[in-house]
Amino acid sequence: MRVDSKGNIYSTGPRGVWIISPEGKHLGTILVPSETPWFTAVNLCFADADYKTLYITGRAYVYRTRVNTPGNRVF
């Protein structure tokens, strides 16, 4: 799980990344393409200089996508 700068939680789940608000509302899901119906994303992180690129890993793949809200920098 990761948190963006607005406090939204990004968590891996079936078929991609689930985005949950600080209040617990499901804001949406970033779907990850897959060749198999049972694919589950297993890890994710914000990266790049502006922390607006989300990298998502699965069993044999690494995906990346740009997001509007930067990730929360954790040191």
Side-chain angles (χ1 to χ4, degrees), residues 9 11 20 32-33 40-41 44-46 50 52-53 55 60 71-72:
I9 297 170
S11 178
I20 310 295
V32 177
T40 300
L44 59 100
C45 71
F46 289 99
D50 60 1
K52 285 187 173 183
T53 302
Y55 286 87
N72 194 9

Side-chain angles (χ1 to χ4, degrees), residues 23-68:
E23 295 78 28
K25 180 182 176 188
H26 179 243
L27 300 176
T29 303
I30 299 171
L31 297 177
V32 177
S34 174
E35 296 177 7
T36 58
W38 46 264
F39 175 81
T40 300
V42 295
N43 203 354
L44 59 100
C45 71
F46 289 99
D48 291 345
D50 60 1
Y51 269 50
K52 285 187 173 183
T53 302
L54 185 67
Y55 286 87
I56 306 162
T57 62
R59 294 179 80 109
Y61 304 99
V62 176
Y63 299 101
R64 73 175 178 194
T65 187
R66 295 286 291 170
V67 294
N68 293 327

Side-chain angles (χ1 to χ4, degrees), residues 10-28:
Y10 290 65
S11 178
T12 58
R15 298 276 300 143
V17 176
W18 292 51
I19 306 168
I20 310 295
S21 74
E23 295 78 28
K25 180 182 176 188
H26 179 243
L27 300 176

Side-chain angles (χ1 to χ4, degrees), residues 2-8 46 51 69-75:
R2 297 290 183 261
V3 178
D4 69 17
S5 61
K6 293 183 178 178
N8 298 314
F46 289 99
Y51 269 50
T69 305
N72 194 9
R73 295 175 188 246
V74 179
F75 296 95

